[in-house]
Amino acid sequence: ENEKLLTAAFDNLIGDVITAAGTISYLGAFTSSYRGSLVTEWVEKMDELGIPHSEASSVHTTLNDPVKIRGWKIHGLPADAL
């Protein structure tokens, strides 16, 4: 099962990194709902172009460190996916 998960993660790496990098580079100044709509557009465009990505492609799922995120929330940082 771990092999299947790692294979899927590797196969989807390009699209997932495109989404994460775009979010970090371009979307920080916008509201959570607007960021979400733009990421949705990007995912639709990747589908159209045949770029593989995870079903839930986002900066949060690609660069996720649950322990750090919990610490950020404890210190009052926003709980949205950016």
Side-chain angles (χ1 to χ4, degrees), residues 18-35:
I18 288 171
T19 303
T23 300
I24 291 168
S25 298
Y26 299 111
L27 301 185
F30 300 109
T31 64
S32 179
S33 61
Y34 186 66
R35 288 192 300 257

Side-chain angles (χ1 to χ4, degrees), residues 59-75 78-79:
V59 68
H60 185 72
T61 57
T62 303
L63 304 177
N64 187 2
D65 181 348
V67 175
K68 280 188 180 180
I69 292 171
R70 181 178 167 101
W72 295 342
K73 289 179 184 178
I74 289 171
H75 288 95

Side-chain angles (χ1 to χ4, degrees), residues 35-57:
R35 288 192 300 257
S37 68
L38 285 176
V39 169
T40 300
E41 286 182 37
W42 295 347
V43 169
E44 290 170 357
K45 189 64 169 180
M46 286 190 292
D47 287 338
E48 180 183 317
L49 296 173
I51 299 171
H53 59 85
S54 298
E55 191 67 32
S57 184

